């Protein structure tokens, strides 16, 4: 295969990967060693008015969020159907802002992304069901 053919094949693969519809988290650097950010879960609850033994009282939340710093959106991310999320961001303090209101009252927790590795964050939104 010629170099030109390899070049076109790489371009097609790159475009295909970029247009797959999946959200790619922001990469904080180019070396691959400096991946810092947030990972965790988003949950919504209670999901029923009466708690029953051996039944979950909350559920995974699939939703979109933004990390904001000084009133500006730094990066957008989403939790999946299991409520899990992973977003890369440089170390610093951010507000986690849902794309749409969730639960009883607005909730925008402040979180500090640590200088090394991923910072764990569990988000819980109150439905008000009692």
């Amino acid at each position: 295969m010629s170099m030109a053919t390899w070049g076109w094949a790489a371009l097609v693969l790159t475009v295909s990967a970029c247009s797959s519809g999946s959200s790619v988290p922001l990469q904080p650097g180019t070396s691959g060693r400096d991946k810092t950010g947030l990972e965790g879960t988003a949950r919504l609850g209670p999901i029923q008015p009466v708690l029953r033994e051996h039944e979950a009282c909350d559920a995974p939340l699939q939703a979109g969020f933004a990390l904001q710093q000084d009133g500006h959106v730094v990066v957008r991310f989403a939790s999946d159907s299991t409520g899990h999320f992973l977003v890369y961001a440089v170390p610093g303090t951010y507000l986690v802002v849902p794309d749409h209101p969730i639960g009883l009252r607005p909730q925008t927790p402040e979180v500090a992304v640590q200088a090394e590795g991923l910072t764990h964050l569990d988000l819980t939104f109150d439905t008000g069901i009692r």
Side-chain angles (χ1 to χ4, degrees), residues 31-95:
S31 71
R33 291 187 216 146
D34 51 350
K35 292 182 179 172
T36 58
L38 297 175
E39 68 82 23
T41 60
R43 300 197 62 84
L44 182 66
I47 55 173
Q48 54 191 356
V50 178
L51 252 58
R52 295 187 178 104
E53 192 173 344
H54 306 294
E55 287 186 21
C57 62
D58 63 355
L61 174 65
Q62 186 173 7
F65 300 91
L67 285 185
Q68 290 186 2
Q69 198 172 48
D70 299 324
H72 300 288
V73 173
V74 175
V75 64
R76 293 191 179 282
F77 66 99
S79 56
D80 64 19
S81 62
T82 66
H84 183 262
F85 60 85
L86 169 66
V87 60
Y88 295 108
V90 297
T93 303
Y94 301 90
L95 287 179

Side-chain angles (χ1 to χ4, degrees), residues 4 7 13-14 24 39 42-43 46 49-50 64 66 68 76 78-79 84 97 100-102 105 107-108 112 115 121:
L13 288 174
T14 302
V24 177
E39 68 82 23
R43 300 197 62 84
V50 178
Q68 290 186 2
R76 293 191 179 282
S79 56
H84 183 262
V97 182
H100 304 285
I102 302 170
R105 56 191 168 280
Q107 182 181 356
T108 56
L121 175 67

Side-chain angles (χ1 to χ4, degrees), residues 97-116:
V97 182
D99 288 348
H100 304 285
I102 302 170
L104 282 179
R105 56 191 168 280
Q107 182 181 356
T108 56
E110 186 175 89
V111 62
V113 171
Q114 301 303 308
E116 292 184 15

